[in-house]
Amino acid sequence: MDLTSPRVIRSIQEKFGFTFKKGLGQNFLTSRDVLHEIVEAAEPEDGVIEIGPGFGVLTQELAKSSEKVVTIEIDERLIDVLDYTLSDYDNVKIVNKDILKTNLKELIKEEFDGRKVSVAANLPYYITTPIITKLLEEKLPIKSIVVMVQKEVALRLAAKEGSKDYGAISVLCRYYTEPTVVTKVPASLFVPPPKVDSAVLKLKIREKPAVDVLDEKMFFKVVKASFAQRRKTLLNCLCSGFSVPKTQLSSLLESIDILPSRRGETLSIEEFKKISDVFTNEGIR
Ligand code: SAM
């Protein structure tokens, strides 16, 4: 069953009386080449978790290359469809759940004996950021996350300091992962086509975070405050985010060779670490 064929997609829709739900980000991929690029980047051999299988087009390809696939789909109308399209694969487990309400630590323990797995998905775009944040912050045993996302989001997640796309989420991604854009994907390769172009992003999880900070909570608070008001200087942003007199803040920044007049988007992850550590040492809150 070639699930990349719009004719096959239509016939499944008719067989099951299925209509796409825009609110669930249901745009199905129809490119065999892109599927292969996702599978190659995901390295799913030892086990893979998929988010949002839809009709199972990516699930089938993952199942061919992986020991076991656990695929999590929120839309219960799709469960019968998936039982049908995946009936040839005995290494796929379909879970009818909301990914954001799924205890992934438990799931990996139960389904994969706690071994490190890959994550692959053509993500529902309305919840891209919460899903990626969940996958990173829960410190799960995962090797990499390979996801199709809106092109602008991929560029933002993979951005480095100094680029217009660089923001707090770029620092979060770089802290936990080595991000790369695998390929760009035009909207015309989906049924129905979304309003935006897409890209496949690979986030290879680091063995340990990119920088060794004294206090992780403080680090992310500093990052968030530094990007909170794009037009303001670093000094003003940090002043709004922390309760410290401006003069003290200014001399602290100068003591670690960071000009208070800089903007948050020019700071490297190492510089955020320096600020975070000096704040921790000085007991700033
Ligand atoms: N994997 C298919 C493909 O590549 O063609 C479908 C991808 S489609 C962009 C996103 C899928 O995620 C849909 O099947 C949708 O129902 C599902 N989905 C949406 N929100 C979800 C959630 N919170 N948890 C799990 N699945 C979700």
Side-chain angles (χ1 to χ4, degrees), residues 130-142:
I131 293 176
I132 293 183
T133 308
K134 173 182 168 80
L135 292 171
L136 295 179
E137 288 185 343
E138 289 186 1
K139 298 186 192 327
L140 303 163
I142 49 185

Side-chain angles (χ1 to χ4, degrees), residues 23-30 35 50-59 72-75 78 97-100 121-127 131 190:
L24 289 179
Q26 291 179 338
N27 304 98
F28 294 176
L29 184 61
T30 61
L35 282 177
E50 186 196 12
I51 302 159
F55 281 0
V57 70
L58 175 60
T59 328
I72 303 165
E73 173 58 60
I74 194 171
D75 188 347
L78 284 168
K97 266 198 179 157
D98 177 346
I99 182 67
L100 294 178
N122 173 10
L123 284 182
Y125 295 171
Y126 74 107
I127 41 167
I131 293 176
F190 297 85

